[in-house]
Amino acid sequence: MVDGIRDTVRVAVLVSGGGTNLQALINAEKDGRLHPCEIKLVVSSNEGAYALKRAEKEGIKQAVCKDEDELLKILRDEGVDMLVLAGYLRILSGKFIHKFKKPIINIHPSLIPAFCGKGCYGLHVHEKALEYGVKVSGATVHFVNEIPDGGEIILQKAVEVKSDDTPETLQRRIMEEAEWKLLPKACVIVAKEIIKSRKDGREGNL
Amino acid sequence: MVDGIRDTVRVAVLVSGGGTNLQALINAEKDGRLHPCEIKLVVSSNEGAYALKRAEKEGIKQAVCKDEDELLKILRDEGVDMLVLAGYLRILSGKFIHKFKKPIINIHPSLIPAFCGKGCYGLHVHEKALEYGVKVSGATVHFVNEIPDGGEIILQKAVEVKSDDTPETLQRRIMEEAEWKLLPKACVIVAKEIIKSRKDGREGNL
């Protein structure tokens, strides 16, 4: 608290799979690179997600939830200030985004506007990039709006595509060289904006 | 000549404007970085192009030509092995490409497939990139086929977009950091393939 204004940002991370981007956020928090963010909650769209195990290991509260109204309730109960989609394979409805009102960010494994949009997720993205024959791909962190991968871009980082890449090797290199670095940085950028907006009395209207 | 096979590749550069990419090729040739390419000819789509002055200064043969049949004749008369579009603002017809038969390459100031295609040239490309809000752009050298900016990609290089960029500052940075470096490299890659194909007796069918 500074001048009666809370100086941390409560983050919920939405996951569906292995949770390597969640791990990058956890590592950043441990190293002090995630301040003013605090990871308060991990919500998975499915029970089997290894990301839940990662959260459990760190003592972070977990939930499994497929219903948007239920998700909204959980986020409100925890006082979540910001939502991070880290390999979340569901598309949030416009209704949800409108109701939640607070910043939602997503990481996408390409340089948007290339290889993005509906149906372009996970390995598909890298398959499409290799099929096209690009020599550079990368990752993008962006705000989430009603258009899949269509919100304002926060950060991007380019990654070289190698001639012998498979979708799997390209996916891994983009994770290591771009995603795991970008996501914590983008969280901090947005969180600082949230705190600034608190001081201006406009939180929720970023 | 090695074993009766010519070991140089005669390049014609097509230009429309200032010719800074042509200059990058000239500089590369002077430094020995363009071998096995030799710039034999510069053809401009308009008389006033400063690129023609650059060619004149270097003693490179120049032509002004708007008609494709005439262009084809000039290229054949000079025994051109490869065509480089360096800021050429006309779209070559499928008929021309089919008749010319030899490799044609183009440089485009974005990371294709982003901000490319018909109507996307010059400053427009950078205006569109800034309007979209990308944080990374770059340049692409690609083979020319009948689809504008649709041919196989040879090289790409990413360039950072800065928050205070104007189309002009972004254009300049992409030229300096990507275009002028990529184009000579791509010419050499393609020229080496041409020489290899001569040895295999398949030149013109790259």
Side-chain angles (χ1 to χ4, degrees):
Chain A
M1 288 282 189
V2 177
D3 298 333
I5 293 169
R6 184 162 48 86
D7 58 358
T8 60
V9 168
R10 295 181 191 127
V11 171
V13 184
L14 262 59
V15 296
S16 293
T20 56
N21 272 312
L22 168 65
Q23 192 63 52
L25 292 173
I26 290 170
N27 295 348
E29 188 167 19
K30 283 181 178 176
D31 297 349
R33 287 181 289 113
L34 206 61
H35 181 80
C37 297
E38 292 178 328
I39 308 172
K40 280 296 197 187
L41 178 68
V42 171
V43 185
S44 174
S45 58
N46 66 85
E47 280 180 34
Y50 185 70
L52 291 171
K53 292 246 183 291
R54 296 184 193 265
E56 192 184 357
K57 206 184 279 181
E58 303 298 328
I60 302 168
K61 197 165 180 173
Q62 311 129 53
V64 177
C65 174
K66 284 174 185 169
D67 178 76
E68 286 193 347
D69 287 331
E70 197 190 328
L71 177 60
L72 213 53
K73 189 179 177 309
I74 295 171
L75 298 176
R76 283 184 180 156
D77 287 351
E78 291 296 322
V80 166
D81 301 310
M82 174 180 165
L83 200 52
V84 177
L85 278 48
Y88 185 64
L89 295 183
R90 297 171 78 92
I91 293 173
L92 295 172
S93 72
K95 208 171 134 189
F96 175 90
I97 295 165
H98 183 74
K99 281 187 183 170
F100 181 59
K101 288 195 177 72
K102 298 179 178 184
I104 307 173
I105 73 174
N106 180 45
I107 184 146
H108 182 81
S110 77
L111 291 176
I112 290 175
F115 315 117
C116 65
K118 223 172 167 177
C120 229
Y121 57 87
L123 269 185
H124 296 310
V125 181
H126 308 295
E127 281 166 10
K128 285 187 184 181
L130 291 176
E131 199 181 295
Y132 199 100
V134 292
K135 309 296 178 188
V136 173
S137 190
T140 303
V141 185
H142 61 91
F143 285 107
V144 171
N145 65 13
E146 297 176 28
I147 303 158
D149 299 323
E152 189 192 336
I153 294 170
I154 303 162
L155 289 175
Q156 291 187 300
K157 194 171 189 299
V159 173
E160 186 194 353
V161 178
K162 298 190 176 173
S163 59
D164 60 350
D165 263 330
T166 63
E168 289 78 9
T169 61
L170 181 57
Q171 180 181 52
R172 185 72 194 179
R173 189 173 327 106
I174 288 175
M175 281 179 177
E176 289 178 358
E177 294 184 11
E179 294 180 53
W180 301 344
K181 292 175 183 174
L182 283 189
L183 192 55
K185 280 186 193 169
C187 287
V188 170
I189 289 170
V190 177
K192 284 183 175 171
E193 275 300 309
I194 291 174
I195 288 178
K196 220 172 124 194
S197 71
R198 269 178 205 160
K199 293 176 182 165
D200 301 344
R202 58 182 172 83
E203 187 168 10
N205 296 304
L206 264 190
Chain B
M1 288 282 188
V2 178
D3 299 332
I5 292 168
R6 184 161 48 88
D7 58 357
T8 60
V9 168
R10 295 180 191 128
V11 171
V13 185
L14 263 58
V15 296
S16 294
T20 56
N21 273 313
L22 168 65
Q23 192 64 52
L25 292 172
I26 290 170
N27 295 348
E29 189 168 18
K30 284 182 178 176
D31 297 350
R33 286 181 290 112
L34 206 61
H35 181 81
C37 297
E38 291 177 329
I39 308 171
K40 279 297 195 187
L41 178 68
V42 170
V43 185
S44 174
S45 58
N46 67 85
E47 280 179 34
Y50 185 70
L52 290 171
K53 292 244 183 292
R54 296 184 193 265
E56 192 184 356
K57 206 185 276 181
E58 302 298 327
I60 301 168
K61 197 164 179 173
Q62 312 128 53
V64 176
C65 173
K66 284 173 185 170
D67 178 77
E68 286 193 347
D69 287 331
E70 196 190 328
L71 177 60
L72 212 53
K73 190 179 176 308
I74 294 171
L75 298 176
R76 282 184 180 157
D77 287 351
E78 291 295 321
V80 166
D81 300 310
M82 174 182 166
L83 201 52
V84 177
L85 277 49
Y88 185 64
L89 295 183
R90 297 172 78 93
I91 293 172
L92 295 171
S93 73
K95 209 170 133 189
F96 175 89
I97 295 164
H98 183 73
K99 281 186 183 171
F100 181 60
K101 288 194 176 72
K102 298 177 178 185
I104 307 174
I105 72 173
N106 180 45
I107 183 147
H108 182 81
S110 78
L111 291 176
I112 290 175
F115 315 115
C116 64
K118 223 173 167 176
C120 230
Y121 58 87
L123 269 184
H124 296 312
V125 181
H126 308 295
E127 281 166 10
K128 284 186 183 181
L130 291 177
E131 199 180 296
Y132 199 100
V134 292
K135 309 297 179 187
V136 174
S137 189
T140 302
V141 185
H142 61 90
F143 285 107
V144 171
N145 66 12
E146 297 176 28
I147 304 157
D149 299 322
E152 189 192 336
I153 293 171
I154 303 162
L155 289 175
Q156 291 187 299
K157 193 170 191 297
V159 173
E160 187 195 352
V161 178
K162 299 191 175 172
S163 59
D164 60 351
D165 263 330
T166 63
E168 290 78 8
T169 60
L170 181 57
Q171 179 181 53
R172 184 73 194 180
R173 189 173 327 104
I174 289 176
M175 281 179 177
E176 288 178 0
E177 293 183 12
E179 294 180 53
W180 302 344
K181 291 175 183 173
L182 283 188
L183 192 56
K185 279 186 193 169
C187 287
V188 169
I189 289 170
V190 177
K192 284 183 175 171
E193 274 301 309
I194 291 174
I195 287 177
K196 219 172 124 194
S197 72
R198 270 179 205 160
K199 293 175 183 166
D200 302 344
R202 58 181 172 86
E203 186 169 10
N205 296 304
L206 264 190

